[in-house]
Amino acid sequence: MDLRKLKTLIDLVSESNISELEITEAEGKVRIVKAGAAAAPVVQTAAAPAPAAAAPAAALEALPAPVAPPEPEGKVIKSPMVGTFYRAASPGAKAFVELGDEIKEGLPVCIIEAMKIMNEIEADCSGRIKRILCENGQAVEFGQPLFIVE
C-alpha cells in the first residue's frame, strides 16, 4: 500500500466517528485504531496470512454452542444511533427518567450526543421504567438497549 493511500486512510479515521479500520489487500494488511479523542491513530501492518487448512470435523463438533443471553422481560427502548448517552439535558440537571417512573409514548427519556449534536430520544411505548441499561456518559451503539419498560 502506498504512503499517500495510507495517509488518506489515517485522515479519514481521525475525522470520522469510527474508532477502527482494517483493510486487507494482496500486499498486506493495515489496521488503524483511534486510541482516543485526543490521541493520534495507531497503524499496524502485517504480511497477508497464508490460507488456513480446514479444521477436522471432530474439532468443530467439540466446540460448545454459544449461549444466547436471556431476553429481557418487557419492551426495550433501543438507541437509534451511535453516540454518547446522557440521562439529563445538562450536567447537574434532573434526569429525564428514573427507575420506576411512568412514561408515555413520545416523552423524552434521554439524550444521545452524536457529532456534537444533542438528540432527544423519545419513548416509543408507554409503561414503567423497569431497568436503565446505560451509564451517564457511556458510548452507545446503534440498536443497543437503553431502557426496559414494563
Side-chain angles (χ1 to χ4, degrees):
M1 180 174 295
D2 71 347
L3 194 56
R4 284 178 288 170
K5 191 173 184 181
L6 190 58
K7 170 95 171 90
T8 303
L9 291 172
I10 291 171
D11 291 341
L12 285 172
V13 170
S14 295
E15 296 169 4
S16 72
N17 206 16
I18 63 170
S19 59
E20 185 175 322
L21 175 70
E22 186 171 334
I23 296 178
T24 304
E25 291 184 348
E27 61 264 15
K29 180 167 119 178
V30 176
R31 183 171 178 228
I32 303 169
V33 179
K34 193 184 311 184
V42 176
V43 179
Q44 298 176 344
T45 58
L60 291 177
E61 292 172 11
L63 295 175
V67 178
E71 282 294 315
E73 296 177 19
K75 172 76 172 135
V76 178
I77 299 176
K78 296 180 179 181
S79 175
M81 65 189 70
V82 174
T84 306
F85 173 86
Y86 294 108
R87 293 188 55 204
S90 63
K94 182 179 178 290
F96 287 108
V97 293
E98 296 289 345
L99 202 59
D101 284 357
E102 284 288 330
I103 61 168
K104 292 188 167 111
E105 188 172 342
L107 179 80
V109 291
C110 66
I111 288 180
I112 295 183
E113 176 189 5
M115 298 178 65
K116 306 290 182 202
I117 297 174
M118 301 298 184
N119 301 283
E120 258 188 15
I121 307 305
E122 297 176 348
D124 56 359
C125 62
S126 296
R128 182 181 306 273
I129 299 291
K130 184 175 181 181
R131 288 185 59 201
I132 300 171
L133 303 172
C134 296
E135 295 294 323
N136 202 39
Q138 175 182 340
V140 294
E141 297 293 325
F142 173 79
Q144 179 177 338
L146 304 174
F147 300 94
I148 296 180
V149 179
E150 62 179 5

